[in-house]
Amino acid sequence: MSDSSSTEVLVAILRTEIAGLAPGDRLPSSRDLIARHGVGPVTVSRAIAQLAAEGVVVTRPGSGTYVSARRPRHVDEASDTSWQAVALAGRGQDPVTGLVEADGPADSPQAGTIALHGGYLHEGLQPARALGAALARAARRPDAWHRAPVAGLAPLRAIFARQAGTGVDPEDVLVTGGGQGALSMLFRAIAAPGGPVLVESPTYPGALAAARAAGLRPVPVPMDGDGIRPDLLADAFAMTGARLLYCQPTFHNPTGAVLSAERRRQVVDVTRAAGAFLIEDDFARHLGHGRTVPRPLVADDRDGTVVHLTSLTKPASPSLRIGAVIARGPVMQRLQGMRLVDDFFTARPLQEAAVELVSTPAWDRHLRALSSALRDRCAVLADALARELPDWTLAHVPAGGLHLWLRLPATLTEAAVAGAARAHGVAVNAGRRYFPAEPPAAHLRLGFAAAADPAELTEAVRRLAAATRRPS
């Protein structure tokens, strides 16, 4: 028998014997084990070392080997975490569970699945070479690993201020680690737990989850093709007493709608009259399809009503977790205080890389190429849907963003279509989770940025048509 086999046999025997001992009991000496089991001293030494590494025993030089006071759980032993249900009972239902489970493991679809879900660019659309070069240049800076200011690097704050438009100063900018974390911070900073927050209906599920995690109660405000309706917004403020509105005025997720020029002024005026804040989620600022993108609401706000949120993540890469909040007045001091509590500051190397990236001609070239690619992909997906699934209602073809929003025929349900699509190798987002209350109809959100190429989009629609004809 080989030394390794002998060691495995002796380890198994000793485990059985140790199971009948109490913590602190002494094992037989090495000499006794050699004589009892007919093995060599090397085998005994290796077996004891393996058990000690696993935490089963502890060795005390000059004294012997003893059963560990806290024995590890074996792989085949079932864990019991039922006690956590009692400990977490006071916290209430987890607001994020539905977000995670609604569409399955979005980060790891099965091989061969075409991705029409999610909200990030395919690798082929990301500026990988420019990102790598920017990160390399940033790493060579002598102060790259120094502590960053709480509000962010001055050059990066200036970049975000220029992006927002005239009237915004770098001092109004707080650099954040992407948009989602910043959104969570805003909800906690502005509204009191238990209070209402007005949201467009439908809206971004991550915002609903963040609001609920902050203890807020999302209240839906209907929208149409021109965005949120100001008349119903005024009614919602009056009825709820809300002091916060969350909206996406430009290339709204999931519908792709753009708040009309007249309504942009009205929405800010209604919010100001209610003595409330307006969180402007401008995630799609760089995701236009070639047309002029409207000015952010914050650019024309002088009273601190609008708190602007933007990010470089969507147009660049999921791992470029760099965003910014633009705010004026006491709310900025509160946000900076929360930053100190949450994480002190955003990692400096990533901030330096962002400065390097957006300060080069390569960034402008990337945005132009991305705009063209998104426009082409959007048209391909919309044309394929009109051809293969004419009874699915597409309200409009958006002029920006990453998604199409479709209403399903009354004969179909979201769950059935999403399940059949998955069985046919297509991942989609069911529409229910985009509504803060009961949805008025069944919808799907189909993305055109995560697929490998336009041909995959055409193939995905062909599979969807087959799936709905023969639901699985």
Side-chain angles (χ1 to χ4, degrees):
M1 185 181 294
S2 67
D3 288 343
S4 60
S5 298
S6 299
T7 301
E8 292 172 1
V9 171
L10 182 57
V11 166
I13 293 172
L14 291 177
R15 280 205 183 102
T16 302
E17 294 180 356
I18 290 170
L21 300 176
D25 284 354
R26 187 176 185 275
L27 268 65
S29 67
S30 295
R31 182 177 301 176
D32 290 340
L33 293 174
I34 292 170
R36 182 185 304 176
H37 301 288
V39 295
V42 173
T43 298
V44 171
S45 177
R46 288 176 175 172
I48 295 298
Q50 180 175 331
L51 292 171
E54 294 174 359
V56 176
V57 299
V58 292
T59 57
R60 299 172 186 168
S63 175
T65 303
Y66 297 83
V67 177
S68 174
R70 299 183 65 181
R71 301 184 208 172
R73 177 176 58 87
H74 293 307
V75 175
D76 58 348
E77 292 180 3
S79 59
D80 182 8
T81 60
S82 57
W83 64 272
Q84 294 184 6
V86 177
L88 293 172
R91 180 64 179 84
Q93 185 177 5
D94 182 1
V96 184
T97 300
L99 178 66
V100 174
E101 295 178 349
D103 296 299
D107 291 336
S108 55
Q110 294 182 351
T113 297
I114 299 175
L116 299 188
H117 67 329
Y120 295 116
L121 301 178
H122 185 270
E123 293 176 1
L125 296 177
Q126 298 172 22
R129 183 174 299 179
L131 281 165
L135 193 59
R137 291 193 301 271
R140 290 195 294 268
R141 291 175 178 256
D143 56 353
W145 292 97
H146 290 185
R147 174 172 177 159
V150 172
L153 299 182
L156 188 54
R157 296 171 73 192
I159 288 170
F160 280 119
R162 288 195 301 272
Q163 175 182 300
T166 57
V168 177
D169 297 322
E171 291 73 23
D172 301 328
V173 178
L174 174 67
V175 176
T176 66
Q180 185 65 34
L183 187 56
S184 175
M185 178 177 65
L186 288 173
F187 282 135
R188 290 182 288 117
I190 296 175
V197 53
L198 305 186
V199 299
E200 297 149 316
S201 182
T203 191
Y204 167 49
L208 296 176
R212 288 168 177 147
L216 305 180
R217 176 171 51 88
V219 177
V221 180
M223 57 183 297
D224 56 24
D226 289 326
I228 193 169
R229 291 180 51 181
D231 56 336
L232 298 180
L233 176 63
D235 291 343
F237 273 125
M239 288 188 294
T240 65
R243 291 294 178 264
L244 180 60
L245 164 66
Y246 166 81
C247 71
Q248 305 165 86
T250 305
F251 309 136
H252 171 268
N253 176 15
T255 68
V258 175
L259 191 62
S260 66
E262 182 181 9
R263 288 190 183 183
R264 297 175 92 81
R265 176 185 55 78
Q266 292 175 343
V267 166
V268 175
D269 288 347
V270 168
T271 305
R272 183 184 298 117
F277 287 96
L278 187 161
I279 296 177
E280 176 188 23
D281 189 344
D282 200 28
F283 75 98
R285 171 73 19 195
H286 297 300
L287 302 178
H289 296 174
R291 300 180 186 176
T292 301
V293 179
R295 284 162 54 90
L297 300 182
V298 72
D300 300 311
D301 173 49
R302 295 292 178 269
D303 304 313
T305 298
V306 178
V307 178
H308 180 86
L309 172 61
T310 189
S311 171
L312 296 176
T313 303
K314 294 294 186 184
S317 164
S319 288
L320 186 63
R321 308 302 300 174
I322 292 291
V325 170
I326 297 174
R328 301 181 179 94
V331 70
M332 174 56 84
Q333 282 69 50
R334 178 174 293 190
L335 291 171
Q336 291 185 3
M338 293 193 70
R339 158 55 53 82
L340 288 172
V341 172
D342 287 351
D343 55 8
F344 292 109
F345 54 86
T346 301
R348 183 163 189 150
L350 210 54
Q351 291 193 60
E352 298 279 11
V355 172
E356 291 285 349
L357 175 68
V358 302
S359 300
T360 63
W363 177 244
D364 292 331
R365 290 195 298 270
H366 163 67
L367 292 181
R368 288 194 296 270
L370 178 61
S371 173
S372 178
L374 293 178
R375 180 179 63 248
D376 293 346
R377 284 165 169 256
C378 180
V380 167
L381 183 57
D383 290 346
L385 287 165
R387 184 173 59 253
E388 298 284 349
L389 294 162
D391 53 341
W392 290 23
T393 303
L394 175 61
H396 72 287
V397 177
L402 307 174
H403 316 103
L404 296 182
W405 181 244
L406 294 113
R407 180 168 177 165
L408 298 178
T411 56
L412 297 177
T413 65
E414 294 174 3
V417 173
R422 187 164 51 249
H424 283 72
V426 183
V428 301
N429 290 120
R432 175 175 292 271
R433 67 184 205 151
Y434 294 84
F435 290 92
E438 192 68 21
H443 292 81
L444 290 184
R445 192 192 73 168
L446 304 183
F448 45 79
D453 51 46
E456 271 203 349
L457 297 174
T458 302
E459 171 61 16
V461 175
R462 187 195 65 78
R463 295 183 188 182
L464 283 175
T468 54
R469 284 195 298 268
R470 298 184 301 274
S472 302

